[in-house]
Amino acid sequence: MKKILLTIIVLALAIVATACGNEEGASGGSDDVKTVKVGVSSGDTRTWEYIVDLAKDKGLNIELVTFNDYIQPNLALSEGEIDANSFQTVAYFDEFVQDQNLKLEAIGSTVIAPMGLYSKKHKDLKDLPDGATIAVPNEATNFGRALLLLQEAGLITLKEEFNGSGSLEIIKENPKKLKIKPVAAGNTPRLLDDADASAINNNFAVEADLTLKDALFHESKTAKPYINIIAVKKGNADRPELQKLVELYQSKEVKKFIEKTFNGNTIPAYVSVDELLNYQDAWTKPANEK
């Protein structure tokens, strides 16, 4: 009887050990390889693809999840469908998180990708006729960014209470009577066939084979509100694998890759989180002081 009982116990322990071994293997096993899902824009993923390769040698497996708009990546992050995202400026992030009441936070800076004003119909700003149609992104912060771009180009003047959020009502002076046409950010390149000009976010410009050299005008590369970020759910900022994402992105290898690959179209902008969050004064400073 004792022998039978002992046999049963040994078999039970063997089954438990096998189950634990299988479970450990599914989550990375003894190698302790962490997998992190990172949401990115579908436009140009070359930098993150390079980081994916770098991460393999650091014990980190990065799975890229691409999105075609600026809304779903933050919602997916909030729902826990991804671990981090990297596609947006800090100004857009703050606006979206507040509007949607999401518990997300920025944990690191990445690049500045200057917005440009492009045209297929005109070769110079001075060629824009009175009543010209200008397509701009319709999301509040990118709308504001486009209006600020038009102001820096000398085409319009914004009211003093401008806070980075865009609307037609914030325009104080429009001497050329420009027709501002808000559209989805991803559609701004397509409007080049119909509009006189289009304010296009850099990632969508690159996707459309446009460079800053093609732009009639582009924003200041030092504009703090438009530094891009890596975002995570609140409470997850100290997770080692997420901090490793920031460390990898801000490494010398990635900086050199960005400078070589994008030739000035996308610019590394590695600043502290404190600097990221203190950008509001940029709305009122002249362009040459930013």
Side-chain angles (χ1 to χ4, degrees):
M1 185 68 180
K2 289 182 179 180
K3 289 183 179 180
I4 295 174
L5 182 59
L6 180 60
T7 301
I8 293 173
I9 293 173
V10 170
L11 288 174
L13 289 173
I15 293 171
V16 171
T18 301
C20 290
N22 290 338
E23 184 178 348
E24 184 180 19
S27 62
S30 58
D31 292 334
D32 196 28
V33 176
K34 297 288 186 179
T35 295
V36 177
K37 291 185 178 181
V38 180
V40 298
S41 170
S42 62
D44 191 327
T45 60
R46 283 176 291 176
T47 299
W48 272 107
E49 288 169 357
Y50 178 72
I51 293 173
V52 167
D53 289 334
L54 280 182
K56 291 176 182 177
D57 296 330
K58 306 290 186 180
L60 184 64
N61 179 49
I62 299 175
E63 180 182 335
L64 299 182
V65 181
T66 58
F67 295 89
N68 295 318
D69 62 27
Y70 288 163
I71 298 173
Q72 294 306 314
N74 281 329
L75 298 181
L77 181 58
S78 179
E79 292 297 322
E81 296 172 7
I82 56 178
D83 300 292
N85 67 38
S86 178
F87 74 98
Q88 63 196 321
T89 67
V90 63
Y92 174 81
F93 172 76
D94 283 350
E95 180 83 16
F96 190 92
V97 167
Q98 182 177 355
D99 287 348
Q100 299 292 323
N101 193 28
L102 303 180
K103 297 185 183 302
L104 309 178
E105 62 182 314
I107 62 169
S109 62
T110 57
V111 296
I112 288 178
M115 176 184 280
L117 184 66
Y118 298 87
S119 176
K120 284 187 177 180
K121 298 181 179 180
H122 310 289
K123 294 183 178 180
D124 196 282
L125 275 177
K126 66 177 182 293
D127 297 333
L128 288 174
D130 289 352
T133 299
I134 311 293
V136 300
N138 62 4
E139 298 89 357
T141 304
N142 281 307
F143 191 170
R145 182 177 185 177
L147 293 180
L148 193 61
L149 176 69
L150 296 179
Q151 176 174 260
E152 291 179 354
L155 296 173
I156 63 174
T157 301
L158 302 175
K159 296 177 182 178
E160 291 183 3
E161 58 266 30
F162 175 71
N163 64 358
S165 183
S167 71
L168 295 177
E169 289 72 26
I170 206 67
I171 299 174
K172 180 180 180 181
E173 297 177 3
N174 183 3
K176 295 178 73 72
K177 301 188 184 304
L178 300 176
K179 298 175 183 176
I180 310 297
K181 183 176 182 179
V183 299
N187 290 334
T188 50
R190 302 186 185 98
L191 267 292
L192 287 173
D193 291 326
D194 301 314
D196 290 278
S198 187
I200 306 176
N201 291 84
N202 189 277
N203 61 315
F204 291 119
V206 171
E207 188 176 359
D209 294 324
L210 297 169
T211 72
L212 285 182
K213 294 179 180 178
D214 301 317
L216 301 179
F217 186 83
H218 60 80
E219 69 189 2
S220 168
K221 67 182 182 181
T222 58
K224 272 188 184 179
Y226 308 129
I227 292 176
N228 284 263
I229 63 167
I230 295 173
V232 301
K233 288 186 73 171
K234 279 191 174 180
N236 288 345
D238 293 331
R239 281 172 51 185
E241 63 270 28
L242 299 181
Q243 284 298 318
K244 190 173 288 187
L245 285 179
V246 178
E247 179 183 332
L248 284 167
Y249 206 114
Q250 296 181 357
S251 67
K252 292 180 180 179
E253 296 96 326
V254 172
K255 182 176 185 292
K256 289 179 181 178
F257 176 85
I258 293 170
E259 292 172 342
K260 180 179 180 180
T261 303
F262 298 99
N263 195 28
N265 283 345
T266 299
I267 305 164
Y270 304 151
V271 301
S272 69
V273 174
D274 286 341
E275 286 185 76
L276 274 176
L277 302 179
N278 293 308
Y279 60 82
Q280 286 84 357
D281 59 349
W283 304 133
T284 56
K285 285 185 178 180
N288 62 359
E289 292 183 13
K290 294 177 184 175

